[in-house]
Amino acid sequence: MTVRLSEGAIAAIMQGESVSKPVLQVMNTRAIATGTGPPRYRVLMSDGVNTLSCEYEQLRGAFMLATQLNPLVEEQRLAARCVCQVNRFIVNSLKDGRRVVILMDVNVLKTAEEVGGNIGNPQPYNEGQGQQRSAAPAASPAPSKPQQQNGNLSGAGAAAPKYHAPSHQFGRASAPSTVKTPGGSQAKVVPIASLNPYQSKWTICARVTQKGQIRTWSNSRGEGKLFSIELVDESGEIRATAFNDQADKFFPLIELNKVYYFTKGHLKTANKQYSAVKNDYEITFSNDTSVVPCDDAQHIPSVQFDFVSIADLENTPKDSIVDVIGICKSYEDVSKITVKANNREVSKRNVHLMDTSGKLVTATLWGNEAEQFDGSRQPVIAIKGARVSDFGGRSLSVLSSSTVVINPDSPEAFKLRGWFDSEGQLLECTSISDVRGGPAAGANANWKTLYEVKSENLGQGDKADYFSCVGTIVHLRKENSMYQACPSPECNKKVIDQQNGLYRCEKCDREFPNFKYRMMLLVSAWAGQGLVLLVSAWAGQGLVLLVSAWAEQGLMLLVSAWGEQGLMLLVSAWAEQGLVLLVSAWAEQGLMLLVTIADCVEYQWVTCFQEAAEFILGQSAAFLGELKEKNEQAFEEVFQNANFSTYEFRIRVKLETYNDESRIKATALDVKPVNYTEYGKRLVASIRRNAQLG
Amino acid sequence: MGDIHEVPRPRIATGHLAQYIGQPVCFVGRVEKIHPTGKFFVLSDGLGKHTTVELSEPLDEEISGVIEVVGRVTNQATIMCVSYVQFREDKSPFDLELYNEALKVIHEFPEYFQCGTGRNT
C-alpha cells in the first residue's frame, strides 16, 4: 500500500527539466501574509530524496500553491505528511536565480493519516552539488556526512555569488559550506570557529549545550534582563546572550540540547570572566537575529561532558571548572541566605553526590535550581561546568553558567545507577567536603585507629589532619584541667589573679571582679585495631558489655559487667610478649586498682576543650569549678566516673613546635556516644578486607 | 548446673546447634512465640532461623524482644535453659543481623576467639 514518490523530481524541476505529474509528499504548509487578498500558501515538498524548504528566509526556491487550491489546505486535505500528485505546475525563475514552483492542480493520493510519517529520508535540496551528495549514504566519493567541510568548496564557490561579496574574510578557518541549509539557500552555514566581528551576516548551525536562567539587573544606568546560552558545532563553541526583547522572544523558543540555525547577531570580544567557553568572541542577539530549528543535526556534537571522578577532585585546584556525575546520596533542605553585596535573598541547597570512587562531595545549588530540586529516589546528577572550591576540603558550586542534568540519558548515568542500586548504597563513603552533621553514618568521618594515626604520621605535614576514632578513655588528668578564664562571652583568655578580688584579662585589657571556669581536659584514649564484638545487654540486674578485640599484635578479650554494685572490668590480653590479666573493680564506695595494658594497643593523649570535656565529665565547667573548691572528693569522683567510657572522637592532630621541641598535639573537636551499629559494621567490613589479604 | 557459668559458653546461632550437642552454649535471639505452659519458647536468630528453648520451671514473667539464653544443647537440638537475660531496647534496638555477622567472624577465626567457640588451646 505504499505510494512511490517521484524521486529526483525536485532536483529535476530545479534544474529546469520538465517533469510530468510528480508524486510528492507534503512536509509542511505555511501561510504567507499578503496584506490584501487571499492568503498564499507555501508548501514544503519532498520527493523522497530532497525537500524544498519553505522555512528559511533566503530561499533557493519554493513551492507555492495557486490560490484556487487554498481550500485544500484550509479544509485540511492537503496537510503535512500527505502524498499528492501534481498534475500541473508552473516554474517561475526569478532574476536572482531562485525558482518558484506554483502548483496549479493537485490530487491528494493519500491523506496524512493514511501515510503516517515521512517517506524516505529527504535532504534539503541544494543546487551547489550533485544529486548523490544529498542522498545520504553511498556512492559519493566525497565525505558525505560532515558535508560542510572543504570538500564542497569547488562546487560551492561557483554557485555562491549572492551571499555577501567579500570572499576573503578575516581569519576564516574554512570557507562557508552550503550544505544542510534549509532549501539549499543562499545562507551559508559557517563554522562557529570562523565567526568574527567583521562579519555580520552569518548563519551557524549549532546545538544549545547550556541555557541559563533569565537574570535581571538594575543599576544606575538602567535595568534589563538577559539570558545566555552556549552553542557548539564541530568546529567549536561560543556563548550567546539575548537581552531584553530578544530575551523575551527567544527564551521560550530555545531548548537545551536542541539544534538550531542562528542567523545574524552581533559579535564582540568575549568577557572571559563570565564564562569558560573557549572562544575569543561571543554573540549578542540583535533585532535581526533569527533562530530556526534544524532537523538534520546528527553531525553536531551533543553536550560534551568530561567527567572527573569525585576522588580526583581532591587534587583539582580550587576555582577550576569541572564536570561531575554522581548519585545524589542525600540532600539538604533549601535555605535562603542574604547576599551582603546587594542585600538580595537567594536560595541555596546543598546536595551530596557520590560516585564509584566511594567519595562524597557536596555541591551547592542556587536560585531556581535549588528550589525546584527533587532528590527523592537518589537520582543521578550530572553537572557541567561546576566550580571547585576549597570549602571544607573540596566542594562544588553550581554557577549560572553551569548545566545541571538530572538522570541524564547517558551510559555513565546508567552505569552509576546500576552500581548504586546493587552495591553503592551499602558502601560507606568518605566526604571530601568534610561536611558535619550529615545523617549518613560515616559520611563525614575519616575513621582511623590510633595505631594508624601514628603509623601514617598524621599531623606531621604542614596542615592539620582530621580523623575520627572510637576510643576508650583510660586516664583523665584532673590537675590543671580547669583554668580561670575571662568572663567576656567571646574571650577565653586566662585571667591574671590580681589578688585584690579583681582579675585582669590582657586581651580585653580590662579587669573583672569574676571569672568563668574553662576546661582543658587531657584524656588518654585507647583504641585497638580490629574487631569489636559487641553485645550490650541492659537487663534488670545491670549492663553486660562483652567485647572481644582482635589486633594484629594479639587478642584482647574484654568483658565489662556493670551491675548495681559497681563496675567490673575484666580484660585478658595476649601480646607477643605475654599475657596481662587485668581486673579492676570499681564500686560506688571506692576505687580499686587500675592497671594499664602494655604493648598491644596504642594510646594517645588528647586535649578536650569545653564542650567535649563537659560531655565526658557530664558536668558543666562552672559546676565543677565550684565543686573543686568546696568538695574535693566529689570533684575527683566526677573524673573517676568518666574513666573507661568509650566515645567516638573527632580529632585534629598537628605537629606543633614550642621552644625548639616538636610534638604532635591532638585536640578533640567533637565527642559523641558511640554508634555501635555503625561501628560494628565498619569492623566486620575491615575484618573481611583483612581476611582477603591473607 | 551451676557450673555452666564457670566454663566458656560459645556463642552460637541456630545453624551451629548440631555441632554443640551436649555442650554449654550462649544463644541470642528474638522471642517468636511462647508455649502456653510457659515451659518452652521459640527464638529466631539473626538469619531468622528458629531454635526452641526449654525450661525446667515454667516462666514466671512475660518475655519479649531479644533475649540471651545460657544453657546446654539437648540431643533434640533444643537448648535447655539455665539462665536468661532480656535485652532492653529502649535506648537503641539490638541489631541481630550485625550480631550474626560477628558470630560468623568468631567461628571463622577461632584462633583469635578462643573462648568464643568453646575450643580451648
Side-chain angles (χ1 to χ4, degrees), chain A residues 73-94:
Chain A
V73 175
E74 284 153 3
E75 287 160 29
Q76 307 265 5
R77 275 177 287 155
L78 195 75
R81 308 288 169 271
C82 80
V83 173
C84 60
Q85 177 166 35
V86 183
N87 298 324
R88 210 156 45 93
F89 62 92
I90 322 175
V91 181
N92 279 346
S93 292
L94 303 183

Side-chain angles (χ1 to χ4, degrees), chain B:
Chain B
M1 266 196 294
D3 58 335
I4 202 171
H5 291 281
E6 310 284 320
V7 295
R9 306 172 291 282
R11 292 181 170 274
I12 61 160
T14 302
H16 298 120
L17 282 172
Q19 302 157 255
Y20 286 85
I21 297 207
Q23 301 199 37
V25 294
C26 172
F27 186 93
V28 174
R30 195 177 292 280
V31 176
E32 293 295 327
K33 47 182 187 276
I34 308 175
H35 192 267
T37 59
K39 289 205 75 179
F40 36 111
F41 54 89
V42 176
L43 299 178
S44 64
D45 69 0
L47 293 175
K49 304 219 191 107
H50 292 194
T51 292
T52 306
V53 178
E54 296 179 34
L55 299 155
S56 43
E57 306 276 328
L59 283 170
D60 56 3
E61 59 173 352
E62 268 304 319
I63 57 168
S64 67
V66 178
I67 74 169
E68 179 182 85
V69 167
V70 169
R72 206 176 276 276
V73 183
T74 67
N75 292 337
Q76 293 83 37
T78 63
I79 299 181
M80 188 64 187
C81 172
V82 171
S83 68
Y84 68 83
V85 167
Q86 282 193 88
F87 286 11
R88 267 170 53 188
E89 292 190 81
D90 52 348
K91 294 247 176 76
S92 56
F94 185 78
D95 191 336
L96 211 46
E97 283 79 29
L98 185 59
Y99 176 78
N100 198 68
E101 285 298 315
L103 280 193
K104 281 199 224 164
V105 170
I106 297 180
H107 284 265
E108 227 171 298
F109 300 101
E111 64 269 30
Y112 292 107
F113 295 97
Q114 301 184 7
C115 291
T117 54
R119 291 162 225 159
N120 284 329
T121 61

Side-chain angles (χ1 to χ4, degrees), chain A residues 117-363:
Chain A
N118 292 352
I119 297 181
N121 186 18
Q123 305 300 317
Y125 174 74
N126 187 305
E127 198 189 54
Q129 37 209 19
Q131 192 61 346
Q132 307 89 289
R133 294 283 172 81
S134 311
S140 159
S144 45
K145 255 333 155 178
Q147 289 183 12
Q148 47 260 48
Q149 280 353 337
N150 306 338
N152 291 341
L153 225 1
S154 39
K162 293 311 175 278
Y163 208 48
H164 43 97
S167 46
H168 342 284
Q169 295 292 335
F170 249 57
R172 282 241 209 119
S174 60
S177 86
T178 55
V179 189
K180 305 292 188 258
T181 5
S185 72
Q186 307 283 10
K188 315 258 180 299
V189 170
V190 303
I192 284 180
S194 73
L195 290 176
N196 62 75
Y198 306 101
Q199 185 189 349
S200 56
K201 293 188 200 158
W202 43 261
T203 302
I204 54 172
C205 178
R207 189 187 302 274
V208 179
T209 55
Q210 192 265 326
K211 178 181 172 189
Q213 296 295 323
I214 292 230
R215 281 182 295 142
T216 58
W217 81 84
S218 170
N219 58 25
S220 54
R221 283 180 286 157
E223 51 182 31
K225 58 169 94 160
L226 64 87
F227 80 100
S228 294
I229 54 177
E230 279 177 23
L231 303 175
V232 94
D233 72 0
E234 291 115 324
S235 72
E237 51 181 5
I238 192 166
R239 185 177 163 79
T241 306
F243 289 89
N244 301 319
D245 291 340
Q246 279 97 38
D248 285 330
K249 174 169 158 196
F250 290 116
F251 190 80
L253 294 180
I254 294 183
E255 288 178 58
L256 185 62
N257 245 337
K258 294 245 164 58
V259 183
Y260 302 89
Y261 290 102
F262 296 85
T263 304
K264 287 203 223 165
H266 181 56
L267 264 292
K268 61 176 190 155
T269 316
N271 193 335
K272 288 280 165 81
Q273 69 169 179
Y274 288 134
S275 94
V277 171
K278 300 174 202 44
N279 197 311
D280 291 330
Y281 302 112
E282 58 187 28
I283 299 172
T284 303
F285 283 11
S286 65
N287 279 332
D288 297 325
T289 304
S290 78
V291 176
V292 168
C294 167
D295 292 318
D296 177 30
Q298 296 100 318
H299 54 281
I300 309 281
S302 52
V303 183
Q304 298 285 26
F305 284 105
D306 188 11
F307 293 120
V308 171
S309 123
I310 292 180
D312 289 340
L313 285 177
E314 291 185 282
N315 303 324
T316 311
K318 142 184 156 107
D319 290 338
S320 341
I321 305 282
V322 294
D323 300 342
V324 280
I325 188 168
I327 296 262
C328 173
K329 185 158 192 201
S330 62
Y331 61 100
E332 296 169 30
D333 288 327
V334 65
S335 60
K336 283 205 188 297
I337 64 168
T338 312
V339 178
K340 288 196 259 296
N342 50 10
N343 244 349
R344 268 194 311 159
E345 254 203 348
V346 75
S347 305
K348 80 173 245 203
R349 185 198 289 267
N350 280 341
V351 301
H352 307 290
L353 303 182
M354 171 178 168
D355 67 2
T356 52
S357 68
K359 297 278 180 169
L360 192 78
V361 70
T362 303

